[in-house]
Amino acid sequence: VLERVVVSNGRIEWCDRMLDPPLVTRIEPLAIEIDGLSSAPAARARYRMSARTDAGEALQLIGDLGLDPVSANGRVALERLKVATVARAMSRQLALQSPGGALTLGALFEVAAGTGGEITGKIQEIEIGLSRLSLQPANAAAPLVAADMLALHGGRVDLAGHEVRFAALELDNATLALVMDAQGRGNWSHIVRATPAAKQQ
């Protein structure tokens, strides 16, 4: 039993040197509070977590946590996550130039881990918004996808049932530039970097 766990004014410095140039991110401040954490069967602890990056991106989690069985529920809110940050982290897989936009996400979740490690549960009331989105393949003259706002409302994910639903899609001032060349290759394929062919056994 841990009656109270507190991390205040924490800092995480992350550097991915596999990228060129390296991706460097600082999370500060990091705050975590957990009350009544126990391994007793069916015991539930109350937790709260907040984190912010040096780019102004913010994450908040609040809810209940159990250890026997391992489970968690609560609300998650992600604010102002820059598309450029995600694209930079995935630059080994994606070839984008100057990606633009910011992501916000909110949802209620209830998940649990089974004895075999499988994750079950549901994520509900999902709201996702992308503002000022711009995705442009490397060496392209214009964005492949651009939108002042792209949003998904009323989402629901059932992990056990492998089901994803959204009640509504919102698009504001959006453009989509899809082109196929004479060989039948779409310009959207240029976003994904080619991977070396696997050697024959």
Side-chain angles (χ1 to χ4, degrees):
V1 176
L2 295 174
E3 292 292 349
R4 184 163 172 79
V5 178
V6 176
V7 175
S8 59
N9 295 319
R11 182 175 69 185
I12 297 174
E13 293 188 2
W14 170 265
C15 180
D16 187 348
R17 298 189 183 279
M18 294 181 67
L19 299 176
D20 185 23
L23 171 65
V24 179
T25 300
R26 175 182 294 172
I27 299 174
E28 183 182 21
L30 171 67
I32 302 173
E33 297 180 18
I34 306 176
D35 291 310
L37 184 64
S38 172
S39 61
R44 307 292 293 178
R46 189 70 176 163
Y47 72 89
R48 179 189 298 268
M49 172 185 170
S50 64
R52 184 179 298 272
T53 71
D54 51 5
E57 301 151 330
L59 172 68
Q60 289 189 334
L61 284 162
I62 185 171
D64 294 327
L65 176 68
L67 298 180
D68 185 12
V70 176
S71 60
N73 63 51
R75 176 178 291 277
V76 59
L78 180 63
E79 299 179 357
R80 300 180 298 278
L81 175 62
K82 298 183 184 303
V83 172
T85 300
V86 178
R88 184 76 183 88
M90 299 182 65
S91 59
R92 290 190 293 272
Q93 294 80 31
L94 301 179
L96 294 170
Q97 62 175 346
S98 304
L103 170 72
T104 61
L105 181 149
L108 298 177
F109 64 91
E110 185 173 351
V111 296
T115 55
E118 67 278 7
I119 304 298
T120 60
K122 296 178 180 178
I123 307 171
Q124 304 182 79
E125 298 183 25
I126 305 171
E127 297 290 327
I128 301 174
L130 271 167
S131 59
R132 302 198 176 280
L133 175 66
S134 176
L135 298 178
Q136 186 167 332
N139 303 318
L144 177 65
V145 179
D148 286 349
M149 174 58 70
L150 187 158
L152 292 167
H153 303 290
R156 181 178 183 274
V157 176
D158 184 341
L159 299 176
H162 305 287
E163 180 183 44
V164 178
R165 290 185 179 184
F166 283 90
L169 167 67
E170 176 187 353
L171 279 173
D172 183 17
N173 195 25
T175 59
L176 188 62
L178 301 180
V179 179
M180 295 186 70
D181 61 20
Q183 287 73 40
R185 294 172 300 188
N187 60 343
W188 59 87
S189 64
H190 299 163
I191 289 180
V192 180
R193 294 189 188 278
T195 56
K199 294 182 179 180
Q200 295 293 329
Q201 296 295 327

